[in-house]
Each structure stands twice: as C-alpha cells, then as structure tokens.
C-alpha cells in the first residue's frame, strides 16, 4: 500500500473513526483534519512519525496515547489532551482543558494558551510546557518528567509530588503536600531554556522562573508526617 | 451524570433563532445524558399581574377541565398544551399566588416552574425525541438552559429530570453527584419543602429556593453552596435576566463558556458550543472552581 | 487454657471477656497506640457475612430430571464482549483469573496463573502495575486493566491485550486506590511503575482524566478508537450501590461488568477499609442482574462476579443468580501455593501460620508468591504452580457441572434463581430467593 503525502478529513462529513483508522493504518505522512467541532479522541493512538494538523478546536483526549506523531491543534483542546502520550509532540495553539498531559510517559506537550486544573497530573516522564497559566492541583502525584509554566499556577501545585520537576515563572497560589521551592542552579536554567526552545516559546525570560520539587517526606510513612495525608 | 447547556442572546436575530441553537446544543449532549431531557426557556414576558405556570400531569391533562378550573380560580389568559401531559398556563395572578392556588386546588398537577417569562419542559425520553416532541427548535426567547440526564442514584422519571424550579423565573440544572443531600432533604422537608424524587439535584434546587425565598440574593445563595453542599457539581441557574454558573472547588465535572457579540453560552463540552454561529471565533474559557459567574444581573 | 477448651465462650478461669472490647480489639488499640498508623494487610473481608454458603440448590427429583454425567453434555463455555467488540473473548470455562498486580505478586507467580488459565481455556488479568512479558507470553487470553494510577499503561500493551478492564473500584476497598509498600518496590517494579526504588507508593483513588459515568463514556470511546474497536471493554466495580453502578456502567458503554464483593481480596489495604466498606457478594449480584434486566441487557452485557468464589458450589450459585461467569483471586493464589502447610516453619519465623498468612504487604512470603524478594520468588516453581491452578480450575468446573446436571441443566448458565433457596432470613433477603421450605422472600411478594 502506498503512503499518500497528505490526506484530508472533514470530521463534519466523515467522522473520527475514519480519520483514526487511516492514521493507524499508516495511510499518509500528513493528515489534515477539518471541522473537528469539539469531537473526542481525534488522532488518538497515533503510532508513526507523521504530522497531524487539526484546524479547529477538539474535545476530550485529542492525541491520546500519542506515539511518535507531531500533532498540532489550531484551536483549543478539551480534557486530557495527549493523555498517556509515550513520545512525539503535541502543540495546542489555544487553551487546554483539565488533565492536559495526564500520566504522559514521554514526548512534549506544548500549550500556547492556558491549561486548566490538574495539568500534568500523574506525569510519568513527559515534558509539559504552558505559555499561559495552569489551574489547581497541577502536577498532582507527578512522578517524573517536567512541567514548565510561564504564567501562574493555581492552588495545591505539585500535591503529593514524586520526582517530577516543576518550573513556574508567575505566581503560585499555594503548594501542595510535600511540594517545596528549590534552588535554581545552572543545570536548571539550561533545562528551562531547553524546554522553552522545544515548545517554541523563545521570547520568555528565563531569569524569573522558580523551581519546585518533592520534599520527599512522604516517601516512607512516618507518624510525624501524618498531617500531610 | 449529565450534560448541561445554557445560552443567552445579545441580539434580536439570535433571540428569534434561540430554539434552533438550543436544540443543536442539546443534541450534542445526548451521548452523556440519554435518559431524559429538559429545557427552561425565557420568552414572551407576560403583563404585570400575570404569571406563566409550566405544568405536568402524570396521568394526562384534561384540557377542558383544566381550562375551566384555572379560569374560575385565577382567571385564565391562555392555556397551551403539549402532547398529553404538559401544559403552559398564563393566569391573572402573581406567580407565587398562582403556585399556591394550583398546589392547593389541583394537587394532581406537578408545577414545573412559574414566573413572568420562564417555560419549563422536561420528560424521560431521549434528547432527540424530546426536541421533536416539544418543537424546541421553534422556540424563540432571550435565554435558555437545557439538560440531558444520565440518572445516577434515582430513577429515570420525568419528575426526576432537570431543570428544577427554584423560585419565580428561577431554575437549576446540575451535572455531578452530591454526597450529603439526604440529610439536607430531611431538613428542608421538615421546614416545609415537598420533594417528589430521590434526586440529589432536586435537593440542591430546593436548598437554593429556600435561601432565595429567605431574602438572599442569587450570588450569595450560590456561594453558600460551597459551604453547605458536599460532592461534585457544575450548576447552571436560570434567572429572569440571564444565568449563573458555579463549579465546586474540586471541579472534576466539566464546564466550558464561550462568548461572541451575539451570544454567551455555557456547556459541559465544547462540542455543544461548536454548533453556535461564529463559535470558531468566540472567546472560550473555563469557569474557575468555587467562583460564581453571572450574566444579565440577578433576580431574586 | 486454649480458647477452644473454654467451658463458656468468652470465659477463662473465672475471667470474663467483653464482646465489645474483646482481646482482638484490645490488641489492635494497643498496636495503634504504639505505631500511630492504621493496620494494613492483604486478603478480603474476614468476618462472617451472608454468603453463598447460606444458599442451597434444589436438585432434580419427580418434577425435574437430572442429566447423566459425561454422556449428557453440560456446556461450560462463555463468550464475553458481544455488545460492541469486533473480537469478543471465547472462554471454555466460566471461571477467570482476577486482576492482581505484578508488584503485589512475583513474576513467577504471574507466570503460573497464565499457564494454569491457558491450560483450562480461560483468561488472566493484569493488575495495578501493568503488563509483564511473562504474563502476556503465558496467558492465551489476557485482560489489561486501566486503573487510576495508570502505572505502566501504554498503547502497545493496550493493543496486545485481548480485552481492557476499566477499574472503577474493587470489593476490598470501593473508593480506595492501590497500595504497595516500599519493601515491594523492587528495581523492576520501580521501573515499570516509574517510581523511586523502596518508597511507599501513594495511589490515586480517582482516575486522572475522568470522573463520573458521563465522562467515562467518552474515555471508553477513546480506548475503542485507539484499539480500532476490536477489544471488549470491561468495567470493574467494588460492590456498594451496585444497582446504580451497573446501570451506569451499561450507559457508559461497557461490554462486560465485573462485580467484586467485599470478600474480594487485595494485596495491601487498611484493615478498616476491607472490613467496613462495601457489601457482600451475595447482596450485590441480584442488584446487578436487576439493573441489567431492566435495561434489557442481561446476557447482552455479560456479568462476571468475584469476591469469595471458592468452589464449584459458589460458581453454580453465582451463575444461578444471573452471572455469566465468575472470577477468582485469593483462591487462585491458594491453589498455586499460598499458605501451603509445608511452609509451617517458615511462616512461624515471620509470626504467622499456614491458613492464617495475610501480611502480603510485607513482601516476605515464604511461598515466593506475594513478594518481590528475588530469593523467595526463586523458590516458586511456575510450572508446578500452573499445573496446580489448572487442577483446581478443573475441579471447580467439574463440581459446577455436577450441580448443574443435578438441576437438569445442559448448560451451566441455564441455572436460574428458582433453583436456589436460602438457609437464613438475611441470605434470603439479599439473594432474593425464598427461605428453604417456604415461599417467603423477605421484603418481596411470595413466589
């Protein structure tokens, strides 16, 4: 079967199934998705190094469990964009709803607008970079990977954090259980530069970022820390 | 669990087409609420001294008998029926007086809502059927709320569907699941509220009704929900002038808002907003948890 | 003087024990005062609750006729996932192996479960930690769990699985998340779960990207899209408000509902959670069947019941109440070698005894099953374990067929509630079958 250079899908005419079937069958190198109309699971389960261009706003789980593909959403994304992504890149030109990048293991999720509550919840190794602000409980139980926020962060940032690293440039409304501010050293500045460059947000000042990580007091139960639970 | 939608018109053209848009929004939410549907549409305000009352009878409405009774008791301006079970009565009385009289004299009727503008229709049928049955697409109006239901802990009945009336020209739709509604229901029942269902949303509506009837403004009453209601909720409340939205502080249930020059709208999922004219260029945002948003002013 | 020699229960040498503050309760209060934390253990609810033991089957006689063993067939196969999936599961027996994590269990233990299940034509299920190559390699039919933690979740394993089980909860702890203590977070477990070695794992109790059946419906759509609609989607719930839960699972799009009663086991959870949250399996099954029937979905959305299934009698009774199949967890572990009497000395060293060992969270299991210790795990022979499991499953199925034939059934799923009676008022009320020898179903019209 020959691989087409580019295939177009009008979701108002066809549907998500047609697009995803073609994507999983490896029918093209590039997929253009028109009239997404807030539909769910658009470009979910991609497996190949292809380009997916979505012209509009999507619903839940866009690029869910993405592998290797580069997915660009020229609009807003609903709940769970790039959830459990393994590799590849997802760019959201607008805002993202809750649980953006939830439990993602690898790859990059870059949001040019704001992300909502629980951004990077349960993160497992991916990079999530947000040009705007994130909502409450972001990086909740984040195990590994990096969350970088150019704007503000809502309440309980990094609650129950494991080894993920968090960088925030704006205000943090409050820190969650076991999440503390940490020193920013040269290696962290380099990381911030790397993340901003990967996301394409080159105009952001590196100097004002602060770093947050786990205090590791909840790693093994100690009765004196019981108040944190 | 459910889908909720709300839409508020900023132009005459949009108001004329309100029903078309409301129907389209509701249809998009049917997958998350297949059991029942309901709408509250604000339109055709009646003259001073009059009230509109939305009515439902489980056993069917006897049009003649109802006409006679309402005319005798309150003075009947107009009676419109819809199918076997629904009626919209315009009577010569204030809304509260109309409700009191109908409640006392015609106990077989369920009062879905009362006010100067509000019309409430709801039924335990799939949203697509609901839209067809009630000709939702034909309704014009200034603003409307809609709801599609997936019943959680109470039965699928018309009475258990949303919107629930919370006072004159006031109603509530809810997406979520409360966890302390049973004790609240007992308290409110002891204070005189009559409940028809085991539905948690009915309790939330009754709670708001009580606070507002007690003199509290809508915003304050909604804010008190944060203290007194436990569980997960996105509430949308319809008022005479517009609508209000509140999400609980944990905010697991979704809510999306959008605005253009012609309309302001709210829905559980963006796809219900995507069907509105000019949606692609709309300002889109999500309401913050624990904050009351309102459009069009308060009504109490 | 030993307890079973007491002249009167609760009395010893003129000393009287309190029923409220009995020795076990006093012991637990003292432990809590010392340690400042809740007691954690494995297993399911230990206390006596109304169960299948309180039900009896009505065998054939003059009005009903039995089937001859062997010659007159009694079919046991079951198809799971007929509602939406392109590739439903075809199992030869109506008993599956429940979800148990690699992490809670050792790798050879998971291998044994795969071997035994495959030999008998049934499925195993992954647990809170993901899919291991051993399990996929040895299990012909493998169900892959999607849990709140999402440890190890990945689309390659999703596509390798034969079915997907969305875990809302389990019977031991409906409303609770997973738990694995530091001593079991070995290098391999840590790597699979993406955690630091040796820490106590904290687990979420809700899924990260959906809450509620309306949003679950959308999540299931995503899982189907990723796997091109091939695989059956199961929804697993711990037994609590079962009637509503099952109706909502159907509305959310489940192909199969897995219902786990309070006797269902766990590898590690607070004792207080295990004993005081959730309802007995017996009380949950009729609620589930009622919900399915009212929606016109009984047998169309299949029902798998777990939580204290121990023998063919339990299987037959669960099927009679309306289940399509059952699932075993604790029983499977015992079958492959947990609590073996040969290990009495080993158990004594860690303060326990065969028949009592439930400190599975400690990871010191001398049988090498509920541990991550390499030395202990090496003691466990997965081939032998697999044979033992196959023997046990075969026994269960033969028992089920014996009982079904005695009730005149040529297919085990043709057992029905009318084949059952109850020994106690509670069991009759919960199971919605009459008290033996009467027409009386407490709370309902007589039949």
């Amino acid at each position: 079967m020959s691989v087409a250079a580019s295939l177009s899908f009008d979701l108002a005419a066809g549907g998500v199934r047609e697009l995803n079937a073609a994507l999983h069958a490896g029918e093209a190198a590039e997929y253009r998705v028109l009239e997404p109309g807030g539909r769910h699971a658009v470009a979910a389960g991609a497996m190949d190094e292809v380009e997916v261009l979505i012209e509009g706003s999507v619903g839940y789980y866009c690029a869910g469990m993405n592998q290797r593909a580069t997915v660009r959403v020229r609009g807003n994304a609903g709940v769970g964009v790039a959830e459990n992504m393994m590799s590849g890149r997802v760019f959201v030109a607008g805002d993202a709803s809750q649980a953006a990048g939830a439990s993602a293991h690898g790859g990059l999720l870059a949001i040019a607008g704001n992300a909502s509550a629980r951004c990077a919840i349960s993160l497992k190794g991916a990079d999530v970079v947000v040009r705007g602000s994130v909502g409450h409980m972001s990086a909740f139980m984040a195990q590994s990977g990096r969350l970088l926020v150019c704007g503000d962060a809502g309440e309980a940032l990094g609650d129950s954090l494991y080894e993920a690293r968090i960088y925030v440039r704006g205000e943090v409304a409050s820190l969650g259980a076991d999440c503390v501010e940490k020193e920013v050293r040269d290696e962290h500045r380099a990381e911030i530069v790397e993340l901003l460059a990967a996301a394409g947000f080159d105009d952001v000042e590196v100097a004002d970022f602060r770093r947050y990580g786990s205090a590791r007091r909840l790693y093994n139960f100690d009765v004196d820390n019981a108040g944190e639970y | 669990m459910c889908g909720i939608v709300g839409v508020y018109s900023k132009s005459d053209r949009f108001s004329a087409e309100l029903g078309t848009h409301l129907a389209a929004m509701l249809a998009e939410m049917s997958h998350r609420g297949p059991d029942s549907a309901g709408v509250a549409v604000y339109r055709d305000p009646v003259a001073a001294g009059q009230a509109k009352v939305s009515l439902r009878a489980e056993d069917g409405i006897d049009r003649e008998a109802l006409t006679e009774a309402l005319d005798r008791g309150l003075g009947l301006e107009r009676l419109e029926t819809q199918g076997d079970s629904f009626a919209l009565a315009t009577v010569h009385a204030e809304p509260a007086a109309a409700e009191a009289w109908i409640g006392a004299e015609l106990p077989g009727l369920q009062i879905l809502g009362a006010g100067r503008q509000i019309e409430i229709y709801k039924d335990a049928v799939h949203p697509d059927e609901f839209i067809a049955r009630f000709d939702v697409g034909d309704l014009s109006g200034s603003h409307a709320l809609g709801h599609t239901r997936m019943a959680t802990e109470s039965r699928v009945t018309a009475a258990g569907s949303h919107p629930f009336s919370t006072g004159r020209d006031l109603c509530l739709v809810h997406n979520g699941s409360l966890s302390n509604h049973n004790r609240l229901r007992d308290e409110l029942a002891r204070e005189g509220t009559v409940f028809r269902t085991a539905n948690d949303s009915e309790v939330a509506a009754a709670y708001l009704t009580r606070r507002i009837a007690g003199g509290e403004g809508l915003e304050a009453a909604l804010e008190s929900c944060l203290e007194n209601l436990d569980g997960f909720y996105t509430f949308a409340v319809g008022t005479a002038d517009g609508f209000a939205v509140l999400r609980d502080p944990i905010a697991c249930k979704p809510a999306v808002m959008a605005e253009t020059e012609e309309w302001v709208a709210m829905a559980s999922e963006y796809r219900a907003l995507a069907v509105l004219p000019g949606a692609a260029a709309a300002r889109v945002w999500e309401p913050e948890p624990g904050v009351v948003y309102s459009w069009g002013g308060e009504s109490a | 003087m030993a307890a079973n020699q007491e002249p009167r229960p609760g009395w010893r040498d003129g000393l009287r024990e309190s029923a409220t503050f009995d020795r076990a309760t006093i012991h637990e209060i003292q432990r809590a005062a010392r340690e400042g934390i809740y007691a954690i253990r494995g297993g399911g609810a230990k206390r006596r609750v109304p169960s299948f033991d309180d039900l009896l089957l009505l065998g054939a006689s003059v009005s009903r006729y039995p089937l001859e063993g062997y010659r007159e067939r009694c079919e046991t196969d079951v198809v799971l996932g007929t509602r939406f999936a392109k590739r439903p599961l075809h199992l030869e027996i109506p008993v599956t192996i429940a979800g148990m994590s690699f992490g809670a269990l050792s790798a050879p233990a998971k291998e044994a479960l795969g071997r035994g299940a495959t030999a008998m034509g049934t499925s195993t299920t992954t647990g809170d930690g993901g899919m291991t190559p051993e399990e996929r390699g040895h299990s012909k039919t493998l169900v892959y769990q999607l849990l709140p933690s999402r440890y190890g979740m990945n689309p390659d394993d999703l596509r390798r699985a034969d079915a997907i089980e969305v875990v809302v909860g389990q019977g031991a702890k409906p409303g609770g998340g997973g738990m694995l203590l530091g001593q079991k977070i070995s290098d391999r477990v840590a790597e699979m779960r993406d955690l630091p070695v040796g820490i106590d794992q904290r687990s979420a109790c809700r899924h990260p990207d959906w809450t509620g059946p309306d949003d679950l419906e959308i999540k299931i759509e995503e899982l189907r899209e990723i796997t091109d609609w091939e695989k059956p989607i199961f929804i697993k719930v711990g037994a609590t408000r079962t009637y509503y839960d099952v109706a909502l699972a159907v509305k959310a799009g489940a192909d199969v509902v897995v219902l786990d009663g309070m006797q269902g086991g766990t590898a590690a959870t607070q004792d207080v959670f295990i004993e005081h949250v959730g309802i007995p399996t017996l009380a949950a099954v009729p609620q589930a069947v009622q919900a399915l029937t009212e929606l016109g979905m009984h047998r169309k959305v299949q029902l798998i019941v777990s939580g204290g299934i121990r023998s063919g009698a339990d299987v037959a009774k669960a099927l009679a109440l309306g289940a399509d199949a059952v699932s075993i967890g604790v029983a499977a572990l015992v079958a492959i070698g947990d609590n073996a009497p040969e290990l009495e000395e080993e158990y004594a060293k860690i303060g326990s005894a065969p028949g009592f060992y439930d400190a599975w969270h400690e990871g010191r299991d001398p049988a090498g099953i509920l541990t991550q210790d390499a030395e202990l795990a090496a003691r466990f022979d997965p081939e032998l374990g697999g044979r033992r499991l196959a023997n046990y499953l075969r026994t269960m199925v033969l028992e089920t067929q014996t009982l079904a034939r005695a009730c005149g059934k040529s297919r085990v799923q043709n057992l029905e509630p009318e084949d059952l009676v109850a020994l106690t008022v509670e069991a009759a009320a919960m199971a919605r079958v009459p008290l033996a020898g009467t027409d009386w179903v407490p709370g309902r019209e007589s039949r």
Side-chain angles (χ1 to χ4, degrees):
Chain A
M1 184 195 67
S2 63
V3 174
S6 177
L7 283 177
S8 240
F9 292 86
D10 180 340
L11 297 189
V16 173
R17 184 80 291 265
E18 222 188 291
L19 162 69
N20 288 338
L23 188 61
H24 301 160
E27 287 180 15
E30 182 194 85
Y31 300 81
R32 298 199 68 229
V33 183
L34 310 169
E35 305 295 331
R39 283 177 184 75
H40 305 307
V42 174
M47 296 178 273
D48 306 310
E49 250 184 80
V50 296
E51 294 270 330
V52 183
L53 300 155
I54 303 170
E55 305 286 359
S57 294
V58 290
Y60 291 30
Y61 312 131
C62 175
M65 300 205 195
N66 186 48
Q67 286 174 294
R68 298 178 207 98
T70 297
V71 181
R72 298 179 197 275
V73 180
R74 292 192 180 137
N76 301 321
V79 170
V81 60
E83 70 88 16
N84 219 104
M85 169 168 59
M86 306 303 293
S87 60
R89 302 174 305 162
V90 178
F91 295 94
V92 179
D95 299 325
S97 185
Q98 305 195 63
S103 76
H105 290 251
L108 169 72
L109 169 62
I111 298 162
N114 298 316
S116 181
R118 298 182 193 89
C119 182
I121 180 175
S122 196
L123 194 65
K124 289 176 171 53
D127 292 330
V128 180
V129 182
V130 183
R131 186 86 174 69
S133 299
V134 298
H136 69 286
M137 297 292 269
S138 287
F140 174 64
M141 289 195 153
Q143 295 168 226
S144 62
R146 304 170 294 183
L147 170 65
L148 184 139
V149 181
C150 302
D152 304 324
E155 303 276 359
L157 175 69
D159 189 273
S160 211
L161 194 58
Y162 288 93
E163 292 299 310
R165 277 208 280 280
I166 305 174
Y167 299 103
V168 181
R169 188 158 175 271
E171 299 290 310
V172 174
S174 68
L175 292 172
D178 215 31
C179 182
V180 293
E181 188 171 346
K182 297 188 170 184
E183 189 194 353
V184 179
R185 298 188 292 275
D186 286 339
E187 66 257 39
H188 306 119
R189 279 182 209 99
E191 200 167 63
I192 293 167
V193 168
E194 178 208 328
L195 289 167
L196 288 170
F201 305 150
D202 303 301
D203 57 333
V204 179
E205 277 291 321
V206 174
D208 304 322
F209 278 91
R210 292 152 83 166
R211 181 166 76 100
Y212 302 90
S214 176
R216 303 190 180 102
R217 282 187 301 256
L218 300 180
Y219 274 23
N220 294 100
F221 184 80
D222 181 329
V223 63
D224 293 327
N225 289 330
E228 299 271 357
Y229 285 89
Chain B
M1 289 297 155
C2 316
I4 60 184
V5 301
V7 62
Y8 172 88
S9 172
K10 290 156 85 175
S11 83
D12 289 339
R13 182 180 70 167
F14 194 84
S15 296
E17 297 166 358
L18 191 81
T20 306
H21 302 305
L22 179 64
M25 295 173 85
L26 219 56
E28 286 297 320
M29 294 292 84
S30 61
H31 73 100
R32 65 189 291 133
D35 294 338
S36 358
V39 295
V41 185
Y42 291 81
R43 61 197 299 267
D44 289 348
V46 294
Q50 290 186 12
K52 260 200 258 186
V53 188
S54 302
L55 298 162
R56 186 177 176 272
E58 188 66 52
D59 302 327
I61 288 193
D62 179 342
R63 207 205 148 91
E64 254 184 58
L66 183 59
T67 303
E68 194 274 331
L70 288 173
D71 203 21
R72 183 178 26 86
L74 296 169
L76 183 66
E77 178 72 20
R78 184 167 59 250
L79 181 71
E80 294 156 60
T81 53
Q82 187 74 257
D84 297 324
S85 311
F86 287 83
L88 183 70
T90 304
V91 296
H92 298 141
E94 290 293 327
E99 277 194 87
W101 188 89
I102 294 172
E105 301 299 322
L106 301 171
L109 286 177
Q110 187 193 352
I111 300 169
L112 300 183
R116 292 226 194 291
Q117 307 168 55
I118 195 171
E119 298 177 17
I120 294 185
Y121 307 101
K122 56 186 188 179
D123 212 348
V125 295
H126 189 276
D128 289 342
E129 212 199 307
F130 171 81
I131 290 165
R133 249 190 222 189
F134 290 90
D135 297 317
V136 174
D138 293 340
L139 296 168
S140 60
S142 56
H143 54 292
L145 286 190
H147 184 270
T148 59
R149 186 173 183 228
M150 188 192 283
T152 49
E153 289 176 19
S154 54
R155 304 280 162 148
V156 179
T157 60
S161 313
H162 315 199
F164 287 100
S165 168
T166 62
R168 193 185 79 185
D169 283 314
L170 287 171
C171 68
L172 170 77
V173 293
H174 168 217
N175 175 209
S177 181
L178 300 179
S179 63
N180 71 335
H181 50 291
N182 293 304
R183 290 293 62 71
L184 256 177
R185 184 189 300 111
D186 282 355
E187 265 178 56
L188 292 164
R190 271 199 296 277
E191 290 168 13
T193 306
V194 175
F195 288 90
R196 282 201 150 69
T197 71
N199 191 320
D200 59 340
S201 311
E202 192 189 12
V203 176
Y207 169 82
L208 282 171
T209 306
R210 207 140 268 270
R211 302 289 295 219
I212 292 166
E216 216 165 74
L218 176 63
E219 274 196 35
L222 277 171
E223 258 159 30
S224 77
C225 291
L226 298 170
E227 263 295 310
N228 295 321
L229 296 184
D230 204 355
F232 291 29
Y233 53 87
T234 296
F235 287 143
V237 175
T239 72
D241 304 319
F243 68 97
V245 173
L246 173 66
R247 300 172 80 185
D248 74 83
I250 297 179
C252 277
K253 299 314 296 176
V256 192
M257 310 260 349
E259 183 168 10
T260 67
E261 281 181 16
E262 278 205 291
W263 48 261
V264 183
M266 174 269 169
S268 299
E269 292 173 38
Y270 175 75
R271 62 191 276 187
L273 303 174
V275 297
L276 295 173
R283 177 171 84 96
V284 180
W285 77 99
E286 288 187 357
E288 291 286 316
V291 175
V292 177
Y293 292 75
S294 58
W295 292 267
E298 293 186 9
S299 179
Chain C
M1 183 193 281
N4 61 6
Q5 287 168 25
E6 288 175 358
R8 255 197 289 173
W11 281 86
R12 184 173 73 181
D13 299 334
L15 299 172
R16 185 177 175 190
E17 186 181 25
S18 158
T20 303
F21 287 95
D22 61 9
R23 276 165 284 171
T25 301
I26 289 174
H27 181 261
E28 169 52 23
I29 295 173
Q30 288 164 340
R31 185 210 61 78
R34 245 186 351 263
E35 295 174 19
I37 188 170
Y38 34 63
I40 292 171
R41 65 168 176 87
K46 287 189 177 176
R47 58 200 177 116
R48 201 164 218 318
V49 294
S51 72
F52 291 131
D53 285 345
D54 300 309
L55 298 183
L56 299 168
L57 289 149
L58 298 175
S61 58
V62 180
S63 66
R64 212 56 93 80
Y65 317 114
L67 265 51
E68 297 289 359
Y70 310 116
R71 273 169 294 156
E72 290 171 4
R73 297 202 56 73
C74 182
E75 306 290 356
T76 61
D77 59 297
V78 65
V79 183
L80 300 173
T82 51
R83 190 179 181 199
F84 289 126
K86 285 185 201 159
R87 304 212 188 128
L89 305 185
H90 292 259
L91 303 180
E92 285 169 36
I93 61 171
V95 184
T96 68
I97 309 301
M100 289 179 277
S101 76
F102 166 67
L105 270 56
S106 64
K110 284 298 263 175
E111 182 187 327
L113 294 175
R115 284 174 177 274
T118 299
M120 289 300 298
T122 188
S123 63
T124 67
T125 308
T126 65
D128 196 356
M131 187 187 288
T132 62
E134 293 93 332
E135 192 170 5
R136 178 68 280 193
H138 286 98
S139 238
K140 179 158 176 283
T141 306
L142 182 56
V143 181
Y144 185 40
Q145 284 190 333
L146 180 85
L147 296 114
S149 69
R150 305 290 166 90
Y151 292 130
M153 172 52 56
N154 71 83
D156 293 326
D157 285 340
L158 207 65
R159 293 187 176 108
R160 272 183 215 124
D162 298 294
I164 300 163
E165 184 170 285
V166 179
V167 177
V168 178
Q170 64 180 109
K173 46 182 161 178
M179 181 185 282
L180 198 67
L181 298 182
Q183 50 269 32
K184 291 175 94 169
I185 310 262
S186 61
D187 288 345
R188 188 178 174 197
V189 170
E191 204 197 314
M192 276 184 76
R193 299 191 186 203
D194 206 20
L195 291 170
V197 175
I199 62 150
D200 293 332
Q201 163 197 303
R202 281 160 277 141
S203 275
C205 61
R206 290 198 310 265
H207 282 259
D209 57 356
W210 64 267
T211 303
D214 45 1
D215 291 321
L216 172 56
E217 198 246 349
I218 304 174
K219 185 68 185 171
I220 287 177
E221 192 190 317
E222 183 208 4
L223 295 171
R224 292 198 198 277
E225 278 299 314
I226 292 173
T227 56
D228 294 309
W229 288 74
E230 286 176 358
K231 304 174 197 291
I233 309 279
F234 295 18
I235 294 181
K236 178 170 179 175
V237 291
T240 71
R241 297 184 175 82
T242 306
Y243 172 74
Y244 299 123
D245 286 344
V246 174
L248 289 167
V250 172
K251 290 175 193 180
D255 291 298
V256 175
V257 176
V258 180
L259 175 63
D260 191 28
M262 75 182 287
Q263 298 101 304
T266 172
T269 280
Q270 301 90 331
D271 178 85
V272 80
F273 211 145
I274 300 172
E275 294 293 349
H276 297 279
V277 184
I279 66 173
T281 307
L282 184 73
V285 180
Q287 288 191 49
V289 176
Q290 182 191 349
L292 290 168
T293 305
E294 285 177 6
L295 291 168
M297 286 296 185
H298 189 220
R299 304 279 181 227
K300 293 181 184 150
V301 170
Q302 287 82 35
L303 176 65
I304 300 177
V305 167
S306 64
I309 304 294
R310 305 151 296 172
S311 69
D314 290 338
V315 180
K317 293 168 189 176
L319 298 182
L321 285 176
D324 293 275
V326 301
S327 198
I328 57 171
V330 172
L333 296 180
V334 174
I336 64 175
D338 178 56
N339 268 286
E342 302 88 69
L343 298 170
E344 184 163 7
E345 271 180 46
E346 301 282 330
Y347 285 121
K349 283 184 205 156
I350 56 172
S352 189
F356 291 88
Y357 179 60
D358 67 355
W360 300 344
H361 58 294
E362 290 181 353
R364 295 188 291 169
D365 179 17
I369 295 170
L370 285 138
T371 180
Q372 287 305 314
D373 181 287
E375 256 188 68
L376 292 173
R379 293 184 192 177
F380 179 78
D381 179 352
E383 278 188 51
L384 176 59
R387 278 201 300 281
R388 288 205 157 123
L389 178 62
N391 282 344
Y392 172 60
L393 288 169
R394 189 174 304 112
T395 306
M396 282 182 98
V397 174
L398 285 171
E399 288 176 341
T400 309
Q401 288 173 303
T402 302
L403 297 173
R405 281 194 176 96
C407 295
K409 317 291 176 180
S410 61
R411 160 164 283 289
V412 295
Q413 283 91 358
N414 287 346
L415 283 160
E416 46 185 20
E418 288 75 8
D419 295 312
L420 296 168
V421 290
L423 285 166
T424 67
V425 172
E426 291 89 349
M430 289 183 186
R432 307 183 193 177
V433 300
L435 203 53
T438 77
D439 281 340
W440 185 43
V441 181
R444 288 173 189 261
E445 303 268 343
S446 300
R447 259 213 293 247

